[in-house]
Amino acid sequence: MRSPRTALRVSTVGAAAAALLATTATGQSPMAVADPAVQQAAPAATPGVRFVDIAGDGGTVLKANVFTPAGADGVRSYPVIVLPTSWAVPQIEYLAQAKKLADSGYVVVSYNVRGFWQSGGNIEVAGPPDIADASKVIDWALANTPADPRKVGMAGVSYGAGISLLAAGHDKRIKAVVALSGWADLIESIYSGRTQHLQAAAVLTGAGNLTGRPSPELQQTMKDFLGSNLAKEPDMIEWGRKRSPANYLDQINKNGSAVMLGNAWGDTLFPPNQYAKFYEKLTGPKRLEFRPGDHATAEATGLLGLPNDVWTNAQRWFDHHLNGADNGIDREQPVQLKSRSTNGYEGYPDWKSVGANQHKIDLGGTKKIYANVDSGANGGVVFLSNALDQFLRLPPIASVPLLPRSFASVWQSERYAEAQRVRGTSKLHTTVTSTKESGTLVAYLYDVGPLGLGKLVSNAPYTFHDQAPGQPFAVDLELFSTAYDVPAGHRLAVVVDTVDPLYIEHNPSGAQLTFSSPGTDPSYLTVPLRDN
C-alpha cells in the first residue's frame, strides 16, 4: 500500500535530482537523434582521439571515442580496454583516463550506452541489449583498431561498472574487469530490507528522464517501484535479478576474468554490502577496495585527470592481468580498506577477516515508539552527506540525549576506555510487535561524544508486510558496511525510528512499534571490530 507521504517526497527529491544532475550533465543535447548510418573506421596508426559511431545490438548506433597508442604502425597489436559510460553522463566522461591508458600502450574505446544522449535506442538498465552492445563494441575494436583479441579488458564507473561485470559473464574474451562504484545485486542496492531507497531511485529516474529515453519497461517498473505497488513486487525483483551480476556469478567464475571492485562506504546508490558478498564468491583473481565517500566521489578527481589512487590501481590491475607486468598488485593483500577516520590503507586476506572480533551491544528492556514522525535521526542526503564525510569528516549528526523517546528507541553502550575500530557489517537482532500489519523501521549506529553529540557510523532500513497486529516477530537486519574509528571516551548508541527521507516508509497512520528482548531470544547489535 502506498504511503500518503510518498508523492510529496518523490516530487521533492525529483527536483533535487535535477539540481544535482546539473553539476555533471555536460555535452550535447539528449534530444539529438543519432544518424542511423554506422561509420566503419579503419585501424588507426595516428595517436589521439577519434569520435566514431559503432553499431550495437540490432544496429543501434552507439556514439564512441577511440584512443590509439602513439607509434601504432598497423603491425603491432595492443591490449584493448572498453569503457561504457555512467548513467546520464556523455561519452567524454573518460577522456582523461583514456588518454593516460593510451599513453601507456592501450587501445581504449569508450562508448555512450544506449538510450542516453546521442546514442540510439532506449534505456534498458543493463538489460540484454546493453550486454550485447558491450560485445559488439569489442567486435568493432578488434576489427577497426590494432587491438589484441587475447587482451581484452572492460572498466567503468557506476552504470559502466555494472555493464562491465555483466559482460564478463557473457563474453569469454574479457580477461580483466575494473568495476568502480557499481552494483552486483541491483535489488539489494536500492531495495535492501524490502525498502525502497527513495532518494537514490528518484535521482536515477530524474537523471534518466533528463538525459535519455527510458524504455516503456523501465517507466512502468519505476512507477510500480516508487508507487509501492506490492502486487508487482515479484516482477520487480525478477527484473532486478536479471540485471544483477550476482545472478551470473557461476558464468563469471567459469570465464575466469580478473575482477577488481571499488566502492565507497557511504554509496547511497549502491551500498557496499552487496559488493563485499559478491567479492567473496568470486573464484578468479580478485581485488576489493573500499574508501570514504558517496557514489563515484572517490573516482571523480581521476575523471578530471588529477592524481587519483583508484585509477592508478585500475591501471596497475590491467597492466598485470592484460600485459603481464610484475608490478606487485597480485602480491598485495586483495582487500584494501581506508577508514573514514584515518588516511592510510589496511590490507586483509579476505572480507571475512575484516572486523574479525565481534562486540555485542545488548538491546534490553521494552521500548514503544509511535510511527510516522521523524525523530531527527537520519541517514543524511543522497551524495551530499557522505561527500562531506569524505572531505571534511562531517557525517550526519544528531543529539542523542535530545532524540524524542516517543519516536525513537535508544540504547547506549558503556564508555570505551580504548578506541574502537569498527570494520565491516554491524548486525541488528530484535523482536518487534506492531499495531499494524505493515511498517518500516530504520536502525542507526552513532558514535556519541561526551556532550551527547552523535556522529552517524551506519544505518539501514527494514520494512515488513502481512504481519499479524499485536504478534511479536523477529527482525534481523544488516547495517551498511563501514570502517570508522570511535575515539576513546566515546560510546556507541543504537537508535531505531520509523522515518528517514532516504527511504519510502510503510507505516500506516497511528501505527506503534514495540521493541522487546525476550529471555529466550535477547535483542542485540553486533559490531565488528578490527584487532588492535
Side-chain angles (χ1 to χ4, degrees), residues 20-206:
L20 286 167
L21 181 67
T23 65
T24 57
T26 58
Q28 302 181 36
S29 168
M31 299 305 294
V33 178
D35 187 337
V38 177
Q39 175 182 335
Q40 295 294 334
T46 303
V49 63
R50 292 182 294 139
F51 291 89
V52 301
D53 291 351
I54 297 176
D57 185 51
T60 297
V61 173
L62 305 174
K63 293 293 182 177
N65 56 69
V66 184
F67 279 86
T68 305
D73 55 10
V75 176
R76 179 184 173 187
S77 61
Y78 301 86
V80 58
I81 298 175
V82 174
L83 302 169
T85 54
S86 302
W87 185 272
V89 181
Q91 61 162 311
I92 60 172
E93 176 182 13
Y94 300 113
L95 286 182
Q97 289 301 321
K99 184 179 186 305
K100 287 185 177 181
L101 287 166
D103 290 344
S104 298
Y106 292 90
V107 172
V108 185
V109 182
S110 174
Y111 70 96
N112 227 123
V113 292
R114 65 171 54 226
F116 285 106
W117 298 94
Q118 286 192 311
S119 285
N122 294 321
I123 303 171
E124 303 291 346
V125 195
D130 292 298
I131 300 170
D133 284 345
S135 291
K136 290 289 188 180
V137 173
I138 294 172
D139 292 342
W140 184 92
L142 296 179
N144 295 279
T145 73
D148 188 335
R150 301 165 300 173
K151 300 178 178 180
V152 177
M154 284 194 71
V157 175
S158 185
Y159 195 37
I163 290 175
S164 296
L165 285 175
L166 287 162
H170 290 78
D171 195 320
K172 296 180 180 179
R173 296 174 295 182
I174 300 171
K175 304 303 181 185
V177 173
V178 174
L180 306 173
S181 292
W183 76 92
D185 188 323
L186 192 57
I187 296 300
E188 189 175 344
S189 294
I190 62 173
Y191 196 49
S192 69
R194 207 181 178 187
T195 307
Q196 297 100 320
H197 293 211
L198 172 61
Q199 291 186 16
V203 166
L204 291 171
T205 301

Side-chain angles (χ1 to χ4, degrees), residues 281-303:
K281 295 177 182 178
L282 290 169
T283 58
K286 58 184 180 179
R287 182 179 176 93
L288 177 67
E289 298 182 355
F290 283 142
R291 300 173 176 83
D294 205 310
H295 185 69
T297 60
E299 303 89 357
T301 56
L303 293 175

